[in-house]
Amino acid sequence: NAGVTQTPKFQVLKTGQSMTLQCAQDMNHNSMYWYRQDPGMGLRLIYYSASEGTTDKGEVPNGYNVSRLNKREFSLRLESAAPSQTSVYFCASTDGGNQPQHFGDGTRLSIL
Amino acid sequence: LAKTTQPISMDSYEGQEVNITCSHNNIATNDYITWYQQFPSQGPRFIIQGYKTKVTNEVASLFIPADRKSSTLSLPRVSLSDTAVYYCLVGGGSGSARQLTFGSGTQLTVLP
């Protein structure tokens, strides 16, 4: 029972490079989320997908794009990476509404 | 957005009861309060959720006063393995994930 799987676990990029973070869930959840976590700032929502075929901006969407490829997969893309995007990125899924979220173990991204 | 405020850190000793309070003055009528636990290098993990009054499960209790402007997570008889960061999350009731707001987290350190 894998739950939420994120790849890669670690990545180092140079400024201006592009990168896609992958997320897949095997719980048949409708909703999926991307967060970033920075020291002292908790988790901030980047984008979410309430259901397959829909995506919407969260609190900090600038510099990112997302794709809800199918019900299982939700990817996050950095088109032109910047040092300010150095962070730990978490993907989560839920059945929606007030249901608790299930998180992956994160992707640690460093941009030089 | 329902901004949340938590203490940055707390220390406790093994076997003691620990209470962590989260302030959420702007909570919306339909919002739920959810608490998560996070260990280093892992994603947050669901602990407990409530809407009003008191909720108890096998690991924690959640106390929510009538005005719902705050909530208190209670961990009975903590052990060293409870050392982690604890987050409160408010939202979910409006149906929009954009309203999900994590606190900055409370680092709980349990001492022997």
Side-chain angles (χ1 to χ4, degrees):
Chain A
N1 188 4
V4 178
T5 302
Q6 293 185 235
T7 55
K9 295 188 185 304
F10 304 93
Q11 185 70 48
V12 179
L13 295 177
K14 294 181 179 179
T15 297
Q17 287 185 316
S18 62
M19 171 76 188
T20 299
L21 309 185
Q22 306 287 353
C23 174
Q25 52 92 8
D26 62 3
M27 295 170 284
N28 202 36
H29 284 165
N30 290 313
S31 302
M32 298 185 73
Y33 311 82
W34 276 105
Y35 293 89
R36 61 179 289 174
Q37 185 174 40
D38 302 299
M41 299 189 72
L43 289 92
R44 293 182 292 169
L45 183 64
I46 305 171
Y47 269 94
Y48 66 98
S49 171
S51 61
E52 184 179 358
T54 69
T55 61
D56 212 340
K57 296 178 180 179
E59 181 185 356
V60 288
N62 291 343
Y64 305 95
N65 286 301
V66 291
S67 295
R68 182 74 182 268
L69 304 171
N70 47 55
K71 193 170 186 179
R72 290 187 64 246
E73 299 172 289
F74 188 37
S75 63
L76 178 71
R77 183 162 178 84
L78 288 69
E79 290 291 352
S80 179
S84 61
Q85 295 177 305
T86 293
S87 188
V88 182
Y89 291 86
F90 287 100
C91 176
S93 71
T94 177
D95 262 343
N98 61 301
Q99 296 302 307
Q101 298 179 49
H102 297 255
F103 285 83
D105 282 336
T107 294
R108 283 145 188 84
L109 183 62
S110 294
I111 300 161
L112 307 176
Chain B
L1 298 178
K3 179 178 171 56
T4 59
T5 303
Q6 303 175 230
I8 294 174
S9 63
M10 296 180 70
D11 290 343
S12 182
Y13 291 96
E14 280 191 292
Q16 289 189 331
E17 178 184 73
V18 170
N19 296 310
I20 305 174
T21 297
C22 181
S23 173
H24 30 80
N25 290 321
N26 296 325
I27 188 169
T29 302
N30 296 328
D31 283 342
Y32 282 72
I33 300 153
T34 311
W35 284 81
Y36 293 84
Q37 176 191 56
Q38 186 179 27
F39 297 111
S41 301
Q42 294 184 21
R45 184 179 69 175
F46 170 78
I47 301 175
I48 197 167
Q49 183 184 68
Y51 181 79
K52 60 180 181 180
T53 63
K54 176 183 175 181
V55 179
T56 297
N57 63 21
E58 63 276 10
V59 298
S61 294
L62 178 59
F63 300 91
I64 305 169
D67 66 7
R68 304 199 330 121
K69 293 183 183 299
S70 66
S71 58
T72 298
L73 174 71
S74 181
L75 304 173
R77 297 181 297 283
V78 294
S79 64
L80 297 177
S81 62
D82 293 317
T83 293
V85 179
Y86 292 82
Y87 291 96
C88 75
L89 172 64
V90 173
S94 67
S96 170
R98 189 182 299 113
Q99 306 304 317
L100 292 172
T101 306
F102 272 90
S104 296
T106 298
Q107 172 67 57
L108 172 66
T109 302
V110 180
L111 306 169

